[in-house]
Amino acid sequence: MTNKFLLASALCLTLTGGAFAQKKAKKVVEEPKDPNEMVAYLFTYFNSNAPEDEQICYALSDDGYNFTPLNNGNPVISSDTIAYTQCVRDPHILRCEDGKTFYMVVTDMKSSLGWASNRGMVLLKSTDLINWQHSAINFPTRYTKEWKNVTRVWAPETVYDHKAGKYMVFYSLLKSDGGYDKIYYQYANKDFTDLEGEPKWLFDSGNATIDGDIVYNEADGLYHLFYKTEAGRGIFQATAKNLTDRWKKIDGHVDQTKEAVEGVGVCKSIDGKSWIVMYDCYANGHYQFCKSSDLKTFEFVQNTETKGKFTPRHGTIIPITRAEKERLLKEYGNYNQPILTGYHADPEVMYSNKTKKYYIYSTTDGTPGWGGHDFSVFSSSDLKTWKDEGKMLDLKGDQVKWATGNAWAPCIEEVKQKDGSYKYYFYFSGHNPKTDRKEIGVAVSDNPTGPFVASEQPIVTDADRPNGVGGGQAIDVDVFTDPKTGKHYLYWGNGFMAGAELNSDMMSIKKETIVNLTPEGGNLDTWAYREAPYVIYRKGTYYFMWSVDDTGSPNYHVCYATSKTPLPKSPLKVNPDNYNVLKQVPTDKIYGPAHNSVLQVPGKDEWYIVYHRINKYHIDRHFSPGIHREVCIDRLTFDKKGNIIPVTPTLNGPF
């Protein structure tokens, strides 16, 4: 009996264990995630009162309180492509009633012109949160009678009017003939490209009333208007059953702080159980978030930390779906490129033996007609994080006596002196008003970041041309020290490539050594020389690089040829089977990667190419691609024969 019981028990245990094992081994199939489920919040904002920061930016959050900037904190829409003033502020975003269309309205304003300087707004429409159509409305020219003397049109927003079945755009308005700011409204047309009729009064609190935000609360069947008033200072509230009814003011502050605040935004939480209330503590440099279950009482949640490139000002948030979040991350995920903040071009990279740091010197970009007049310098200890060291040379004023502007395409060389100290020779292009031509000068310093003292006259004039060269400009200078001989050389030219040996003082060229190095043959799709020569030496070979096509073209790219001497006596010959260095990747929206410099990590056969590309939002010729460029870095490699392996420019860089 006992043996039979034990045997049966063992058999039962074995069978049971096998069943469990089979269950464990069974694959668990996850239910597909609903792409239309609301899973995150999108924050639209601008960053500061500086013109370069009065741009629309995005940030994402899973909880509605803690946000991470997208696109590395850079703008997602460039203001100079949409606004009269080329700057915008106060973005308000709204999901339309159809659930798939988005409206955004922004203040068309450059605050550096003054707080009573803006005259209108911009309407934007999108179905994917990435591509936006826009219409700028300038009130003095749009409404030439009653509103021609308007001095400001502030903080527009959009709300759906359930009774009218239209979208209302409301904003604060002030005329130059006195009075105070009041909230006015108009309805948008069907395509959200214009406003119907003329401004009509909506609300004011008896004194300056600005930064209105309206939400509809289904729980009480009322519209809730949140606004800033200068009387008593703070955020207040009013309600109405219909948008155009007389609004009833509600006692008490909405904001939960004694700080100066503005730019309130209210959003229903994803779970539908509460409201997120946010406002800009503009005098203290942070955002404050509160929550409310009934829009009557408000509870402080947190102050949002602002740091680095995330310094949000006066914005709004909306819930977004899983599909929308994934689309935004794909388009604006935080990449490591560009490596410098803002618009910069023609980067020159250098490692300093004195400071043990890397430096990039650049053309300051973003100015119409390539009209920048100063050069910037950035430093790094790891090639990843770059510190802005400021403007190191300015062609306006007394710093450079022979030039007045068009500060272009610099290069620099560190030279160790006999006493063990270092000198830095900085070469650059500038406009010489005496000749009305671009010419090349030099400035000298004891430190990589300056101060630099410029030569009294240019060291390469427009007349210093190789034999037989007529057109083109004396720009895009490169300096090279031959590691075999210690001799120094200068290369330059737009439309031609010239080369010459420098005198030992590094302050003048040996004019008798000027030669024409312009590569033979090619076309815009291959290696036809345009500008930006650059020379490196590796394992007995001199590599000559240059840029092809126009700097505003997506086809702007880098090619190369080789030589056994740093100053060959005849034009460079290109290997038709191996000449590409760097070119565009349209699938990644990388356009016009060229005008490069190259860095060899000291003591290693490790190389990097530093270049500029066209900002992807300016690739359209209408938006001046040639002056909206940004600096990037990627790895440069060679095959066993010493050929340059074509570089594929990346979004994340080499690290």
Side-chain angles (χ1 to χ4, degrees):
M1 292 288 293
T2 304
N3 289 337
K4 288 182 180 178
F5 177 81
L6 290 174
L7 181 61
S9 299
L11 182 59
C12 182
L13 184 62
T14 301
L15 291 173
T16 305
F20 278 128
Q22 286 179 355
K23 285 183 181 179
K24 287 181 180 178
K26 190 176 181 181
K27 242 183 182 179
V28 177
V29 179
E30 290 187 11
E31 289 292 325
K33 294 180 178 179
D34 181 3
N36 297 314
E37 179 188 4
M38 295 292 176
V39 297
Y41 298 86
L42 174 64
F43 185 7
T44 62
Y45 61 94
F46 73 102
N47 265 314
S48 84
N49 294 334
E52 62 270 20
D53 285 340
E54 291 178 317
Q55 313 260 3
I56 299 169
C57 296
Y58 281 171
L60 279 184
S61 171
D62 290 332
D63 64 6
Y65 300 103
N66 298 282
F67 286 86
T68 300
L70 291 175
N71 204 32
N72 296 317
N74 295 313
V76 297
I77 304 172
S78 293
S79 298
D80 56 4
T81 67
I82 62 173
Y84 280 104
T85 63
Q86 299 193 320
C87 291
V88 300
R89 302 163 62 92
D90 320 323
H92 175 265
I93 189 167
L94 175 78
R95 183 188 296 273
C96 295
E97 295 295 295
D98 65 7
K100 60 184 180 180
T101 305
F102 301 91
Y103 291 162
M104 196 183 329
V105 283
V106 293
T107 305
D108 189 339
M109 178 179 181
K110 180 182 287 187
S111 62
S112 59
L113 299 177
W115 295 112
S117 64
N118 83 297
R119 305 290 185 267
M121 67 179 74
V122 182
L123 310 182
L124 299 108
K125 178 182 178 181
S126 175
T127 56
D128 61 7
L129 295 170
I130 295 168
N131 300 289
W132 293 86
Q133 72 171 39
H134 68 276
S135 302
I137 300 175
N138 187 51
F139 275 51
T141 55
R142 180 71 170 78
Y143 312 109
T144 56
K145 295 181 179 179
E146 186 176 354
W147 306 102
K148 65 180 179 180
N149 64 343
V150 65
T151 61
R152 58 191 185 217
V153 183
W154 277 3
E157 294 202 4
T158 308
V159 64
Y160 184 69
D161 187 332
H162 294 84
K163 183 178 180 180
K166 294 181 177 182
Y167 289 92
M168 175 188 285
V169 178
F170 57 98
Y171 45 86
S172 298
L173 198 60
L174 180 68
K175 295 181 180 180
S176 61
D177 55 4
Y180 55 84
D181 305 82
K182 301 175 182 179
I183 297 178
Y184 288 77
Y185 77 94
Q186 292 168 266
Y187 288 105
N189 67 359
K190 185 177 179 180
D191 297 325
F192 206 71
T193 57
D194 200 0
L195 300 177
E196 298 177 346
E198 300 225 348
K200 296 180 181 179
W201 177 87
L202 183 71
F203 174 82
D204 71 81
S205 61
N207 49 68
T209 307
I210 63 172
D211 295 358
D213 183 61
I214 298 176
V215 296
Y216 180 71
N217 184 13
E218 292 180 355
D220 59 16
L222 297 175
Y223 288 95
H224 290 247
L225 166 63
F226 298 83
Y227 60 91
K228 175 186 177 180
T229 176
E230 297 301 335
R233 294 191 177 273
I235 306 297
F236 296 88
Q237 186 182 178
T239 60
K241 185 174 182 180
N242 296 300
L243 286 171
T244 55
D245 289 349
R246 179 71 63 172
W247 291 82
K248 178 183 177 182
K249 292 194 287 186
I250 307 299
D251 292 335
H253 280 250
V254 172
D255 53 301
Q256 303 297 297
T257 180
K258 294 182 179 179
E259 301 175 47
V261 297
E262 65 183 15
V264 62
V266 181
C267 174
K268 193 71 172 287
S269 62
I270 288 173
D271 62 13
K273 296 178 181 179
S274 62
W275 297 83
I276 299 170
V277 181
M278 52 193 285
Y279 39 83
D280 184 356
C281 299
Y282 62 94
N284 295 76
H286 63 83
Y287 241 93
Q288 188 166 103
F289 284 81
C290 300
K291 69 178 180 178
S292 175
S293 60
D294 54 10
L295 294 182
K296 296 177 182 178
T297 57
F298 302 90
E299 176 187 351
F300 169 79
V301 176
Q302 67 181 44
N303 291 328
T304 291
E305 182 181 9
T306 56
K307 61 181 179 180
K309 295 173 73 173
F310 184 55
T311 56
R313 299 287 318 279
H314 195 143
T316 49
I317 64 174
I318 58 168
I320 58 172
T321 67
R322 177 175 283 105
E324 290 160 353
K325 177 183 178 181
E326 290 173 355
R327 187 188 310 135
L328 288 169
L329 287 172
K330 183 178 180 180
E331 178 73 14
Y332 302 119
N334 288 330
Y335 301 109
N336 296 324
Q337 309 268 40
I339 56 175
L340 305 183
T341 301
Y343 295 128
H344 297 274
D346 315 327
E348 166 77 352
V349 64
M350 179 193 74
Y351 176 78
S352 170
N353 290 287
K354 177 178 180 178
T355 66
K356 311 303 181 190
K357 290 183 178 181
Y358 303 97
Y359 295 87
I360 289 178
Y361 303 81
S362 71
T363 299
T364 303
D365 214 16
T367 306
W370 298 277
H373 54 82
D374 51 34
F375 296 100
S376 301
V377 58
F378 300 80
S379 67
S380 175
S381 59
D382 58 7
L383 293 175
K384 301 175 187 177
T385 303
W386 293 88
K387 177 185 177 183
D388 189 346
E389 299 282 0
K391 308 298 183 183
M392 42 77 64
L393 191 71
D394 196 330
L395 271 57
K396 278 191 176 179
D398 297 329
Q399 209 173 358
V400 181
K401 298 185 183 302
W402 64 268
T404 57
N406 297 121
W408 296 349
C411 65
I412 195 167
E413 193 77 347
E414 178 187 65
V415 179
K416 191 172 185 178
Q417 308 298 297
K418 292 181 179 179
D419 63 1
S421 64
Y422 290 90
K423 290 280 188 186
Y424 297 87
Y425 297 88
F426 181 80
Y427 304 89
F428 59 93
S429 305
H431 180 256
N432 188 343
K434 290 184 179 179
T435 61
D436 195 26
R437 300 293 291 172
K438 308 298 187 298
E439 298 180 333
I440 294 169
V442 61
V444 187
S445 177
D446 295 328
N447 295 291
T449 57
F452 283 84
V453 177
S455 59
E456 294 285 325
Q457 298 295 330
I459 66 168
V460 176
T461 69
D462 184 63
D464 295 321
R465 295 171 174 271
N467 290 332
V469 172
Q473 303 181 83
I475 63 171
D476 291 6
V477 61
D478 175 47
V479 60
F480 170 71
T481 298
D482 186 354
K484 294 175 64 176
T485 65
K487 291 182 178 180
H488 309 288
Y489 298 87
L490 218 59
Y491 307 89
W492 69 93
N494 159 273
F496 63 91
M497 185 197 294
E501 185 180 339
L502 278 161
N503 286 305
S504 58
D505 64 359
M506 303 285 287
M507 302 289 288
S508 58
I509 62 170
K510 297 180 179 180
K511 295 191 177 184
E512 68 277 12
T513 67
I514 296 176
V515 291
N516 181 6
L517 302 173
T518 311
E520 298 178 333
N523 55 49
L524 292 183
D525 292 324
T526 56
W527 66 79
Y529 178 88
R530 179 62 174 262
E531 58 198 6
Y534 196 85
V535 181
I536 62 172
Y537 174 84
R538 179 184 182 269
K539 296 184 177 181
T541 299
Y542 298 87
Y543 296 79
F544 288 74
M545 303 180 196
W546 62 89
S547 295
V548 181
D549 209 338
D550 179 71
T551 189
S553 168
N555 183 53
Y556 197 48
H557 61 281
V558 178
C559 293
Y560 84 103
T562 60
S563 173
K564 291 299 179 182
T565 171
L567 203 63
K569 295 181 180 180
S570 59
L572 295 167
K573 293 187 177 180
V574 177
N575 179 351
D577 297 321
N578 188 272
Y579 58 86
N580 281 320
V581 177
L582 186 70
K583 57 184 180 181
Q584 65 174 323
V585 184
T587 54
D588 286 336
K589 298 186 178 181
I590 297 174
Y591 305 106
H595 200 127
N596 69 288
S597 60
V598 173
L599 172 75
Q600 180 184 10
V601 175
K604 298 181 180 180
D605 190 27
E606 183 179 340
W607 300 79
Y608 296 93
I609 184 168
V610 181
Y611 57 94
H612 73 237
R613 69 184 185 193
I614 298 169
N615 176 273
K616 64 183 179 181
Y617 305 113
H618 285 82
I619 191 60
D620 189 306
R621 281 284 176 179
H622 179 69
F623 301 141
S624 304
I627 60 169
H628 291 92
R629 299 164 294 180
E630 51 199 20
V631 173
C632 301
I633 184 172
D634 276 299
R635 196 177 297 273
L636 181 71
T637 57
F638 304 80
D639 66 19
K640 292 180 179 179
K641 294 181 179 180
N643 297 313
I644 291 177
I645 298 173
V647 177
T648 300
T650 68
L651 297 171
N652 271 312
F655 307 110

